[in-house]
RNA sequence: GGUAGGAUACUCAAGUGGCCAACGAGGGCAGACUGUAAAUCUGCUGGCUUACGCCUUCCCUGGUUCGAAUCCAGGUCCUACCA
């Protein structure tokens, strides 16, 4: 078993796992949800909030931070942890997905991706070496390899090319991380499995990357517009071929029921902008489904978002007040709703961990999803 | 008292003979958001309707016209200036 990842328990009725991932900035209990902090901040909340919420690890982004303020500046100021005042683990995305989502601006070759900045149109280049250098500058605890994320839907030929290119890039990223001492210094590098809807391509990619012995593995190419069934099918077609003794991470997902379903498929780590983004737009999560706090029906509602939920927002504020803040466009609304939503996701993971330990994850997660989907 | 200007939907505000149930903005209501170019975006917002459509509207009354928010007459109210 890998030194940095302990499998504490494996569920018998599902493929769910209870694990512990060790990083340079502390241990992460899995399954875990990672709040997204693209530009060196989890939008609307402070590191103090994140600590109180029990956030164990957050994301940063190579693409955004390299364009602004620049990874060398971050390095000069002590690395991303010091720069943003967060001393817990940070996983950095490589920019592969951003390049995909900025499709009109890119030019992909085997060497890397030439693209124009969305900020000022300036031309930039990101290849596997550049991506690893930037993530080293940032001081990332978990760096992601550069990958090519094909769109959905995608032709098989195009997908196969992206898979092959992603494998070549992964190999270079790994080599750079070894040569530079990045891995030896306790930083991790995770590979990313592509393959879109083609199960055999995903299996082959997973096996090829597994042979390269990365510290962790991600399922990429999901949450790119495909329906939920397709997304779960792809995760299910990938996870079994990833090394059992390494952490598994599905990138960019998902909703609360999706998270529980993917845990059952054997996934350990998740990240998603959903809870933070929708919070700023007035939506909050509850055990009985999501609700839009801006709706008129909450205008005089004196209750907290979720009765008895132990976070700053639910302990102190009524739905009526939170609705007022959100409708009025007050910044505090985004902050308080973000606190609640992140707590909701992090607490859900804590419950999942407890139920995997208790051995009743299968029945518990089905009941949880049934209630959530039934609504109020 | 005189002169000039003005009264349009919840608010502000376009429209000066038919393409007007009436531009636009705000407000209101609802929806979307999944490795964050998002404190963003979309739809609806006179009534009945899924909609075609029908009905009632642009201060009031009357008139001109095939046709009026738009033209004419009178009235009511508001604003500015002069007495």
């Amino acid at each position: 078993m890998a030194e940095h990842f302990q499998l504490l328990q494996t569920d018998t009725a599902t493929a769910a796992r209870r694990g512990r991932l060790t990083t340079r900035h502390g241990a992460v209990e899995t399954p875990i949800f990672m709040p997204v902090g693209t530009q060196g901040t989890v939008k609307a909340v402070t590191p103090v909030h994140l600590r109180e919420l029990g956030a164990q690890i957050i994301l940063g982004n190579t693409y955004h931070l390299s364009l602004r303020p620049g990874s060398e500046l971050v390095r000069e100021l002590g690395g991303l942890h010091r720069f943003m005042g967060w001393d817990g683990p940070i996983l950095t995305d490589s920019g592969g997905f951003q390049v995909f989502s900025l499709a009109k601006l890119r030019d992909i070759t085997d060497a890397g991706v030439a693209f124009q900045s969305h900020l000022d149109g300036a031309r930039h280049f990101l290849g596997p070496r550049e991506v690893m250098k930037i993530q080293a500058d940032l001081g990332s605890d978990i760096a992601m390899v550069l990958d090519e994320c094909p769109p959905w839907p995608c032709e098989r030929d195009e997908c196969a090319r992206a898979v092959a290119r992603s494998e070549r890039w992964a190999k270079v990223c790994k080599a750079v991380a070894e040569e530079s001492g990045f891995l030896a210094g306790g930083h991790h590098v995770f590979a990313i499995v592509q393959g879109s809807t083609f199960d055999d391509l995903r299996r082959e990619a997973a096996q090829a990357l597994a042979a390269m012995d990365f510290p962790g593995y991600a399922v990429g190419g999901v949450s790119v517009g495909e329906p939920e069934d397709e997304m779960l099918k792809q995760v299910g077609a990938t996870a079994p071929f990833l090394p059992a003794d390494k952490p598994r991470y599905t990138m960019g997902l998902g909703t609360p029921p999706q998270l529980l379903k993917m845990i059952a498929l054997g996934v350990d780590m998740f990240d998603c902008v959903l809870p933070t983004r929708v919070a700023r737009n007035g939506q909050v999560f509850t055990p009985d489904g999501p609700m839009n706090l801006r709706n008129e029906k909450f205008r005089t509602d004196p209750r907290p978002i979720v009765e008895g939920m132990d976070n700053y927002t639910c302990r102190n504020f009524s739905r009526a007040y939170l609705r007022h803040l959100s409708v009025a466009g007050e910044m505090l609304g985004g902050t308080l709703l973000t606190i609640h939503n992140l707590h909701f996701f992090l607490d859900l993971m804590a419950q999942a961990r407890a139920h995997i330990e208790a051995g009743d994850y299968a029945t518990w997660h089905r009941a949880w999803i049934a209630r959530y989907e039934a609504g109020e």
Side-chain angles (χ1 to χ4, degrees), chain A residues 85-168:
Chain A
W86 167 257
D87 61 2
I90 297 177
L91 180 151
T92 51
D93 191 9
S94 66
F97 183 79
Q98 278 62 45
V99 166
F100 153 72
S101 61
L102 298 169
K104 287 193 178 72
L105 306 178
R106 70 186 170 168
D107 180 22
I108 305 179
T109 66
D110 277 353
V113 190
F115 62 95
Q116 284 184 274
S117 164
H118 70 277
L119 299 173
D120 60 7
R123 293 173 193 287
H124 295 268
F125 179 82
L126 281 181
R129 294 178 188 283
E130 288 76 11
V131 155
M132 292 310 294
K133 197 261 183 193
I134 292 165
Q135 295 183 95
D137 283 348
L138 296 175
S140 174
D141 295 293
I142 302 174
M144 300 304 298
V145 300
L146 181 66
D147 64 328
E148 180 180 346
C149 182
W152 182 90
C154 173
E155 293 298 319
R156 185 186 169 88
D157 286 355
E158 182 187 355
C159 180
R161 278 195 297 276
V163 166
R165 184 171 282 150
S166 295
E167 281 177 26
R168 288 196 291 274

Side-chain angles (χ1 to χ4, degrees), chain A residues 51-328:
Chain A
R51 275 287 171 229
E52 286 178 2
L53 290 166
Q56 299 186 58
I57 173 173
I58 64 174
L59 256 68
N61 199 296
T62 296
Y63 173 84
H64 299 262
L65 293 171
S66 68
L67 292 181
R68 182 173 60 190
S71 64
E72 292 182 358
L73 173 70
V74 175
R75 186 192 66 209
E76 286 164 16
L77 292 178
L80 184 55
H81 295 80
R82 178 177 292 181
F83 189 56
M84 67 179 291
W86 167 257
D87 61 2
I90 297 177
L91 180 151
T92 51
D93 191 9
S94 66
F97 183 79
Q98 278 62 45
V99 166
F100 153 72
S101 61
L102 298 169
K104 287 193 178 72
L105 306 178
R106 70 186 170 168
D107 180 22
I108 305 179
T109 66
D110 277 353
V113 190
F115 62 95
Q116 284 184 274
S117 164
H118 70 277
L119 299 173
D120 60 7
R123 293 173 193 287
H124 295 268
F125 179 82
L126 281 181
R129 294 178 188 283
E130 288 76 11
V131 155
M132 292 310 294
K133 197 261 183 193
I134 292 165
Q135 295 183 95
D137 283 348
L138 296 175
S140 174
D141 295 293
I142 302 174
M144 300 304 298
V145 300
L146 181 66
D147 64 328
E148 180 180 346
C149 182
W152 182 90
C154 173
E155 293 298 319
R156 185 186 169 88
D157 286 355
E158 182 187 355
C159 180
R161 278 195 297 276
V163 166
R165 184 171 282 150
S166 295
E167 281 177 26
R168 288 196 291 274
W169 286 350
K171 187 170 275 182
V172 176
C173 286
K174 179 101 184 318
V176 169
E178 283 170 346
E179 292 159 15
S180 66
F182 188 76
L183 284 169
H187 302 269
H188 305 315
V189 177
F190 282 17
I192 306 174
V193 177
Q194 293 292 345
S196 190
T197 56
F198 307 100
D199 290 2
D200 57 326
L201 293 181
R202 283 201 174 270
R203 186 185 68 243
E204 289 166 20
Q207 291 168 338
L209 292 167
M212 295 184 209
D213 191 29
F214 277 89
Y217 292 88
V219 180
V222 283
S223 75
V224 289
E226 77 282 11
E228 175 176 312
D229 287 355
E230 184 61 51
M231 180 275 286
L232 289 169
K233 180 175 158 292
Q234 291 178 38
V235 173
T238 308
F241 302 103
L242 297 174
D245 63 344
K246 304 285 180 61
R248 303 164 178 165
Y249 161 34
T250 54
M251 307 187 75
L253 292 168
T255 65
Q258 287 168 357
L259 296 181
L260 297 186
K261 289 174 186 174
M262 288 187 286
I263 288 173
L265 293 173
V267 180
D268 310 299
M269 302 166 68
F270 309 93
D271 82 279
C272 191
V273 303
L274 195 63
T276 45
R277 176 179 290 169
V278 301
R280 298 192 303 280
N281 297 325
Q283 187 180 94
V284 291
F285 293 90
T286 83
D288 296 297
M291 63 188 199
N292 187 344
L293 265 190
R294 288 184 187 167
N295 287 2
E296 203 275 339
K297 63 184 172 183
F298 299 118
R299 195 175 66 84
T300 63
D301 196 331
R303 295 173 293 173
I305 298 170
V306 178
E307 198 74 53
M309 197 152 192
D310 190 20
N311 63 62
Y312 180 69
T313 303
C314 287
R315 282 196 306 268
N316 293 285
F317 305 102
S318 66
R319 294 174 180 183
Y321 177 67
L322 296 170
R323 171 182 193 271
H324 160 68
L325 291 181
S326 188
V327 166

